Amino acid sequence: TAFAGLVDICKPKKKETIVVTTAAGSVGSAVGQIAKIYGCKTIGFTSSDEKAEICKKEFSYDEVINYKNEDNLSSCLKQIAPNGIDCFFDNVGGDQFDAVMDNLNINARVVICGTIGMPSYPIPNGPRINRTLLVKRAKIEGLLVLDYFDKYKEIYDQLAQWFKDGKLKNKEDISHGLSKAPSSLVKILNGLNLGKQLIKL
């Protein structure tokens, strides 16, 4: 998912600035590391100071914003990335999405991978992004990894090589027993997991 969205849709270029929401999660952590392999500046959003440290130390993010500690995410981004955002890999939607939209560069690329920060129904009203996309000549695209089924082997091979080369790290949050599945899901939804949430049977 991380590879498909970042490499195929965002097409990152060296020295571009990439913003990733849920930066400490399984997808977000991989996006940040792949972006660094491509020579980009990486900024992550996460929900705790502990996760922010993990993002910096283990996943090589240049900057990490604990969105729960910031009253104005857009202003915070402007300070960290005064030259704007070139690529945005979004797993959340909502306020974090709106803040990044305020800071897009011309010809920015936006990948919608998830909307965990928004209710599925009814769809909430929010800022209209039409004008932003027009003025910035930005592209926005949804991502479903199943569309990449025919490229799975190619992607797996590249990720495996990066892993063997020490360029990719992963973190797992393992709960034990099927009975822990409901509480583990709630943990994810509340942003309390550290890395890929797994259930060991």
Side-chain angles (χ1 to χ4, degrees), residues 15 24 26 59 70 119 164 181 187:
K15 295 187 178 179
S26 58
F59 306 139
E70 298 295 336
K164 289 175 187 173
K187 194 174 176 183

mmCIF file with all atom_site columns, all heavy atoms in Angstrom, residues 15 24 26 59 70 119 164 181 187:
data_model
loop_
_atom_site.group_PDB
_atom_site.id
_atom_site.type_symbol
_atom_site.label_atom_id
_atom_site.label_alt_id
_atom_site.label_comp_id
_atom_site.label_asym_id
_atom_site.label_entity_id
_atom_site.label_seq_id
_atom_site.pdbx_PDB_ins_code
_atom_site.Cartn_x
_atom_site.Cartn_y
_atom_site.Cartn_z
_atom_site.occupancy
_atom_site.B_iso_or_equiv
_atom_site.pdbx_formal_charge
_atom_site.auth_seq_id
_atom_site.auth_comp_id
_atom_site.auth_asym_id
_atom_site.auth_atom_id
_atom_site.pdbx_PDB_model_num
ATOM 1  N N   . LYS A 1 15  ? 14.428  15.821  -2.776 1.00 0.00 ? 15  LYS A N   1
ATOM 2  C CA  . LYS A 1 15  ? 14.309  17.111  -2.089 1.00 0.00 ? 15  LYS A CA  1
ATOM 3  C C   . LYS A 1 15  ? 12.882  17.626  -1.993 1.00 0.00 ? 15  LYS A C   1
ATOM 4  O O   . LYS A 1 15  ? 12.653  18.732  -1.493 1.00 0.00 ? 15  LYS A O   1
ATOM 5  C CB  . LYS A 1 15  ? 15.220  18.161  -2.725 1.00 0.00 ? 15  LYS A CB  1
ATOM 6  C CG  . LYS A 1 15  ? 16.699  17.834  -2.587 1.00 0.00 ? 15  LYS A CG  1
ATOM 7  C CD  . LYS A 1 15  ? 17.574  18.974  -3.069 1.00 0.00 ? 15  LYS A CD  1
ATOM 8  C CE  . LYS A 1 15  ? 19.041  18.617  -2.867 1.00 0.00 ? 15  LYS A CE  1
ATOM 9  N NZ  . LYS A 1 15  ? 19.946  19.681  -3.349 1.00 0.00 ? 15  LYS A NZ  1
ATOM 10 N N   . ALA A 1 24  ? 3.076   6.769   12.389 1.00 0.00 ? 24  ALA A N   1
ATOM 11 C CA  . ALA A 1 24  ? 3.619   5.657   13.178 1.00 0.00 ? 24  ALA A CA  1
ATOM 12 C C   . ALA A 1 24  ? 2.932   4.331   12.877 1.00 0.00 ? 24  ALA A C   1
ATOM 13 O O   . ALA A 1 24  ? 3.329   3.292   13.390 1.00 0.00 ? 24  ALA A O   1
ATOM 14 C CB  . ALA A 1 24  ? 3.495   5.962   14.671 1.00 0.00 ? 24  ALA A CB  1
ATOM 15 N N   . SER A 1 26  ? 1.342   1.152   10.353 1.00 0.00 ? 26  SER A N   1
ATOM 16 C CA  . SER A 1 26  ? 2.030   0.221   9.456  1.00 0.00 ? 26  SER A CA  1
ATOM 17 C C   . SER A 1 26  ? 2.251   0.821   8.067  1.00 0.00 ? 26  SER A C   1
ATOM 18 O O   . SER A 1 26  ? 3.322   0.676   7.486  1.00 0.00 ? 26  SER A O   1
ATOM 19 C CB  . SER A 1 26  ? 1.256   -1.093  9.350  1.00 0.00 ? 26  SER A CB  1
ATOM 20 O OG  . SER A 1 26  ? -0.058  -0.854  8.880  1.00 0.00 ? 26  SER A OG  1
ATOM 21 N N   . PHE A 1 59  ? 11.847  5.401   12.120 1.00 0.00 ? 59  PHE A N   1
ATOM 22 C CA  . PHE A 1 59  ? 11.326  5.509   10.758 1.00 0.00 ? 59  PHE A CA  1
ATOM 23 C C   . PHE A 1 59  ? 11.919  6.696   9.998  1.00 0.00 ? 59  PHE A C   1
ATOM 24 O O   . PHE A 1 59  ? 11.484  7.016   8.894  1.00 0.00 ? 59  PHE A O   1
ATOM 25 C CB  . PHE A 1 59  ? 9.798   5.584   10.768 1.00 0.00 ? 59  PHE A CB  1
ATOM 26 C CG  . PHE A 1 59  ? 9.146   4.452   11.524 1.00 0.00 ? 59  PHE A CG  1
ATOM 27 C CD1 . PHE A 1 59  ? 8.058   4.685   12.351 1.00 0.00 ? 59  PHE A CD1 1
ATOM 28 C CD2 . PHE A 1 59  ? 9.620   3.151   11.425 1.00 0.00 ? 59  PHE A CD2 1
ATOM 29 C CE1 . PHE A 1 59  ? 7.462   3.647   13.065 1.00 0.00 ? 59  PHE A CE1 1
ATOM 30 C CE2 . PHE A 1 59  ? 9.023   2.105   12.122 1.00 0.00 ? 59  PHE A CE2 1
ATOM 31 C CZ  . PHE A 1 59  ? 7.942   2.361   12.951 1.00 0.00 ? 59  PHE A CZ  1
ATOM 32 N N   . GLU A 1 70  ? -1.396  20.560  19.068 1.00 0.00 ? 70  GLU A N   1
ATOM 33 C CA  . GLU A 1 70  ? -1.371  21.770  18.244 1.00 0.00 ? 70  GLU A CA  1
ATOM 34 C C   . GLU A 1 70  ? -2.774  22.337  18.049 1.00 0.00 ? 70  GLU A C   1
ATOM 35 O O   . GLU A 1 70  ? -3.688  21.616  17.683 1.00 0.00 ? 70  GLU A O   1
ATOM 36 C CB  . GLU A 1 70  ? -0.753  21.476  16.873 1.00 0.00 ? 70  GLU A CB  1
ATOM 37 C CG  . GLU A 1 70  ? 0.693   21.020  16.924 1.00 0.00 ? 70  GLU A CG  1
ATOM 38 C CD  . GLU A 1 70  ? 1.634   22.085  17.442 1.00 0.00 ? 70  GLU A CD  1
ATOM 39 O OE1 . GLU A 1 70  ? 1.297   23.286  17.339 1.00 0.00 ? 70  GLU A OE1 1
ATOM 40 O OE2 . GLU A 1 70  ? 2.707   21.719  17.959 1.00 0.00 ? 70  GLU A OE2 1
ATOM 41 N N   . PRO A 1 119 ? -16.195 10.224  10.064 1.00 0.00 ? 119 PRO A N   1
ATOM 42 C CA  . PRO A 1 119 ? -17.260 9.218   10.062 1.00 0.00 ? 119 PRO A CA  1
ATOM 43 C C   . PRO A 1 119 ? -17.583 8.790   8.626  1.00 0.00 ? 119 PRO A C   1
ATOM 44 O O   . PRO A 1 119 ? -17.477 9.588   7.693  1.00 0.00 ? 119 PRO A O   1
ATOM 45 C CB  . PRO A 1 119 ? -18.448 9.947   10.696 1.00 0.00 ? 119 PRO A CB  1
ATOM 46 C CG  . PRO A 1 119 ? -18.151 11.399  10.529 1.00 0.00 ? 119 PRO A CG  1
ATOM 47 C CD  . PRO A 1 119 ? -16.665 11.539  10.513 1.00 0.00 ? 119 PRO A CD  1
ATOM 48 N N   . LYS A 1 164 ? 16.289  -6.016  3.556  1.00 0.00 ? 164 LYS A N   1
ATOM 49 C CA  . LYS A 1 164 ? 17.580  -6.709  3.707  1.00 0.00 ? 164 LYS A CA  1
ATOM 50 C C   . LYS A 1 164 ? 18.736  -5.712  3.782  1.00 0.00 ? 164 LYS A C   1
ATOM 51 O O   . LYS A 1 164 ? 19.724  -5.948  4.473  1.00 0.00 ? 164 LYS A O   1
ATOM 52 C CB  . LYS A 1 164 ? 17.808  -7.666  2.538  1.00 0.00 ? 164 LYS A CB  1
ATOM 53 C CG  . LYS A 1 164 ? 16.919  -8.892  2.565  1.00 0.00 ? 164 LYS A CG  1
ATOM 54 C CD  . LYS A 1 164 ? 17.122  -9.728  1.307  1.00 0.00 ? 164 LYS A CD  1
ATOM 55 C CE  . LYS A 1 164 ? 16.114  -10.852 1.240  1.00 0.00 ? 164 LYS A CE  1
ATOM 56 N NZ  . LYS A 1 164 ? 16.179  -11.569 -0.057 1.00 0.00 ? 164 LYS A NZ  1
ATOM 57 N N   . ALA A 1 181 ? -9.186  -9.441  19.804 1.00 0.00 ? 181 ALA A N   1
ATOM 58 C CA  . ALA A 1 181 ? -9.416  -8.772  18.523 1.00 0.00 ? 181 ALA A CA  1
ATOM 59 C C   . ALA A 1 181 ? -10.290 -7.524  18.654 1.00 0.00 ? 181 ALA A C   1
ATOM 60 O O   . ALA A 1 181 ? -9.927  -6.464  18.129 1.00 0.00 ? 181 ALA A O   1
ATOM 61 C CB  . ALA A 1 181 ? -10.007 -9.748  17.513 1.00 0.00 ? 181 ALA A CB  1
ATOM 62 N N   . LYS A 1 187 ? -8.353  -0.132  19.936 1.00 0.00 ? 187 LYS A N   1
ATOM 63 C CA  . LYS A 1 187 ? -7.028  0.458   20.153 1.00 0.00 ? 187 LYS A CA  1
ATOM 64 C C   . LYS A 1 187 ? -6.567  1.221   18.905 1.00 0.00 ? 187 LYS A C   1
ATOM 65 O O   . LYS A 1 187 ? -6.065  2.342   18.992 1.00 0.00 ? 187 LYS A O   1
ATOM 66 C CB  . LYS A 1 187 ? -6.047  -0.664  20.499 1.00 0.00 ? 187 LYS A CB  1
ATOM 67 C CG  . LYS A 1 187 ? -4.726  -0.229  21.067 1.00 0.00 ? 187 LYS A CG  1
ATOM 68 C CD  . LYS A 1 187 ? -3.935  -1.485  21.490 1.00 0.00 ? 187 LYS A CD  1
ATOM 69 C CE  . LYS A 1 187 ? -2.556  -1.148  21.975 1.00 0.00 ? 187 LYS A CE  1
ATOM 70 N NZ  . LYS A 1 187 ? -1.777  -2.355  22.315 1.00 0.00 ? 187 LYS A NZ  1
#
